Amino acid sequence: MARHEHSAEVRLRPGHPVRTCIGCRQLAPAADLLRIVAQPVEPNGWAVVPDPRRRLPGRGAWLHRDRKCLSQAEKRRAFGRALRVSGSLDTAALVLSIDSDPASEPHPQQSSTS
C-alpha cells in the first residue's frame, strides 16, 4: 500500500476530515473545500451543482472555491470520473456559485505573489 505525505497544514489538524480537490489534486481540510454532486436533468444529462451544506444525496466530489481549480477539473474531465456519471455535464450552476461566492479566493498553494 502506498504512503502519501500530507502537507504541513493538513498534518496540523488531526481529527479533521481531509479531502482531495478534483481540480488541483491537492489535499485540504474538508472545511476548505466545496462539495459538489451530480443531479439528473432531462434528457440524458447531468447538472453538477454545489452542495455547501453537504446534505444532498448521491456521490460527492470536492473542489476548492477557485476558478482555476474549476477550469482544471473541466479540462481534465474530472467531474464525470469523480461523480461516476456519463453523458453531458452542465457546470453552469457551479460556475455561478463560485463566481458569486465572496469566500472564493485562490487557495494558498495556487496564489501568486507578483
Side-chain angles (χ1 to χ4, degrees), residues 2-73:
R3 266 185 87 114
H4 299 283
E5 288 295 320
H6 299 296
S7 69
E9 177 186 344
V10 174
R11 281 183 288 187
L12 291 176
R13 297 164 90 175
H16 294 283
V18 175
R19 303 289 183 259
T20 303
C21 172
I22 64 170
C24 65
R25 304 291 302 153
Q26 292 185 354
L27 292 174
D32 295 346
L33 299 172
L34 175 65
R35 182 175 187 263
I36 57 173
V37 295
Q39 293 185 330
V41 292
E42 295 298 326
N44 198 17
W46 296 89
V48 179
V49 296
D51 183 16
R53 293 183 53 220
R54 300 175 180 151
R55 299 288 186 266
L56 292 177
R59 182 173 181 84
W62 300 84
L63 185 72
H64 281 107
R65 291 175 176 92
D66 182 8
R67 188 64 185 243
K68 285 184 180 180
C69 285
L70 175 62
S71 63
Q72 284 179 338

Side-chain angles (χ1 to χ4, degrees), residues 69-80:
C69 285
L70 175 62
S71 63
Q72 284 179 338
E74 287 176 327
K75 187 168 99 173
R76 293 177 47 246
R77 294 182 237 170
F79 291 112

